[in-house]
Amino acid sequence: MPPAKKRARTYDSAKIRAAVPAQFGHVREAVEGLAPEQLALPSGLGEWTVRELAAHLCMGVESVSLAIERDRSDEEATPADQPLVTLATWPFATAAHAAPIARGVREYAATAAPGALFARTAERLQALLPAQDDDRVVPIRVGPMRLGDYLVTRTVELVVHTDDLNRATGLSVPFDRQALAACTRVLADALAVKAPGASTEVRVPPYAVVQCVAGPRHTRGTPPNVVETDPLTWIRLATGRTDWREAVDAAQVSASGERADLGGLLPLMG
């Protein structure tokens, strides 16, 4: 008998709807306190400055409002048989859109000062989101997606780029616990999708444990192949900010067993 299909992870809607504006608020407070010379610093992401990174953070949240505002004619233009983008497929659908996003960031950053961008984005989200149902299908850049699922993806964007902002500026912008948990889980589940199996257990305490990698299935006792790391290190590995071998050598990752080397599977998204 084939193994039972794993159930997709679910997320508490109220917690996600609170986590997105909470993390956005943390970033907004930090960015509004930056001096012009700090905004001009390199972000560590290609040629973007910190100001452009901040604009990208705004774009990620503003995309929720834009998707909600799409009129009925826009939604009906999406073929009825087009499959929904799910949380399992979203991490692998974003890379194809990196170039247009990069171009759009520069244009968006030039439209207003960072403080004005953050204020406008927060106001629009607060006005538009509460009345919307999680099951509403919204058209986004990578395809149609449930609004509830799309909000979960915003925790990934916010947490990943908050970490980028901290490393670029030396700030210590805090991470909302629910946003950090959701981001960690989405990326852990993406690994299980990319490398299905049950021979290796990946632990990211206190938020996620997944089994992955083809091979002998573990059933009881201590798994023979175990990877363990902290949430931020995992997020940096999954998004290409940190190299696997360097993280292992620096003892940021514990990996034991012949199938515990995840270097060939990472990053999962850029």
Side-chain angles (χ1 to χ4, degrees):
M1 174 181 288
K5 186 177 181 180
K6 293 181 181 179
R7 293 180 59 186
R9 191 190 301 271
T10 59
Y11 293 82
D12 185 302
S13 175
K15 290 180 178 179
I16 294 298
R17 284 176 177 245
V20 170
Q23 188 60 44
F24 189 70
H26 290 327
V27 177
R28 176 183 178 181
E29 182 179 356
V31 170
E32 288 179 343
L34 293 177
E37 59 270 23
Q38 291 173 298
L39 290 169
L41 290 170
S43 69
L45 301 176
E47 297 181 355
W48 284 359
T49 63
V50 167
R51 177 172 181 160
E52 288 162 339
L53 171 58
H56 182 59
L57 275 155
C58 279
M59 286 177 64
V61 175
E62 176 67 6
S63 66
V64 177
S65 300
L66 291 173
I68 290 171
E69 286 182 327
R70 297 277 173 86
D71 60 33
R72 183 59 56 182
S73 63
D74 285 339
E75 293 182 11
E76 290 178 351
T78 301
D81 60 350
Q82 185 173 352
L84 291 181
V85 178
T86 66
L87 286 173
T89 58
W90 174 79
F92 310 109
T94 60
H97 302 273
I101 289 173
R103 290 193 296 269
V105 164
R106 287 205 171 91
E107 296 172 3
Y108 187 68
T111 61
L117 292 179
F118 275 88
R120 182 175 66 196
T121 300
E123 181 179 351
R124 280 167 47 75
L125 186 71
Q126 184 178 15
L128 293 170
L129 182 59
Q132 305 302 314
D133 189 275
D134 280 349
D135 286 329
R136 176 182 174 180
V137 175
V138 293
I140 60 171
R141 190 184 294 269
V142 299
M145 194 171 195
R146 286 182 64 256
L147 178 60
D149 288 343
Y150 190 55
L151 288 171
V152 176
T153 73
R154 298 307 84 194
T155 69
V156 178
E157 293 286 338
L158 283 165
V159 167
V160 169
H161 292 308
T162 296
D163 185 43
D164 290 333
L165 181 65
N166 282 340
R167 288 184 290 121
T169 62
L171 295 173
S172 297
V173 181
F175 294 94
D176 175 82
R177 180 178 175 85
Q178 295 299 330
L180 183 60
C183 176
T184 303
R185 290 165 181 156
V186 168
L187 295 174
D189 290 345
L191 175 64
V193 170
K194 185 173 183 178
S199 71
T200 302
E201 187 165 280
V202 178
R203 303 169 179 172
V204 192
Y207 301 130
V209 177
V210 296
Q211 292 187 338
C212 58
V213 183
R217 185 178 181 84
H218 169 70
T219 57
R220 65 177 63 183
T222 302
N225 305 288
V226 177
V227 174
E228 185 166 329
T229 189
D230 63 276
L232 276 182
T233 298
W234 168 244
I235 290 165
R236 292 170 185 171
L237 286 166
T239 59
R241 270 66 173 174
T242 294
D243 176 75
W244 169 261
R245 181 46 52 191
E246 291 176 359
V248 171
D249 290 345
Q252 295 171 322
V253 174
S254 169
S256 60
E258 62 180 13
R259 289 182 172 85
D261 187 343
L262 303 182
L265 299 171
L266 300 171
L268 302 169
M269 61 182 297

